[in-house]
Amino acid sequence: MTWHPHITVATVIEDQGRFLLVEEQADGRAVFNQPAGHLEADESLLQAALRETLEETGWEVELTAVIGIYLYTAPSNGVTYQRVCFAARPLRHHPQRTLDDGIIGPRWLTRDELLAEQDRWRSHLVLRCIDDYLAGERFPLSLIRVA
């Protein structure tokens, strides 16, 4: 048996105490997640984070730091994901942009509003990444290197 972890990126975007989240369809229900997705061939982790954020929210952002690298095995399907989570600041919104399939839309929520929707999190990493961000976890973008 061959084991293949999935490399993903996610972005925590905060503006005046509210966080940019994605409301999306997953497993037949509406859930909240950070703008996130899979690394594509010939793409850097930073490029993936910028692309996924734009495709899922219509927001252009500036990456400012690495929050953390997380290893998560989804209980629903047993797939292991390595998530590289970035901090970013919002730059420009393109509200007319067509969003990825399955995306209901971008939502700005406070941590408390998100906490009240715990049954709608895509995974526990949604709050974990925000809490790590709020705790001041920041590593320079230069941590990400291409060999």
Side-chain angles (χ1 to χ4, degrees), residues 67-81:
I67 296 170
I69 300 171
Y70 306 83
L71 196 61
Y72 171 71
T73 301
S76 62
N77 60 14
V79 173
T80 298
Y81 299 90

Side-chain angles (χ1 to χ4, degrees), residues 11-14 18-24 31-36 53 56-59 83 99 103-115 117 120-122 125-127 129-130:
T11 309
V12 172
I13 302 111
E14 188 254 345
R18 295 168 45 226
F19 295 92
L20 180 59
L21 297 163
V22 174
E23 187 176 13
E24 61 186 343
V31 297
F32 290 113
N33 197 8
Q34 273 89 28
T53 301
E56 293 189 352
T57 69
W59 276 91
R83 172 187 264 208
L99 303 178
I103 302 296
I104 298 167
R107 304 289 183 258
W108 288 94
L109 299 175
T110 66
R111 183 190 183 282
D112 288 342
E113 290 169 336
L114 181 61
L115 191 58
E117 298 280 356
R120 294 187 57 204
W121 299 347
R122 179 83 185 245
L125 288 179
V126 177
L127 189 65
C129 290
I130 287 174

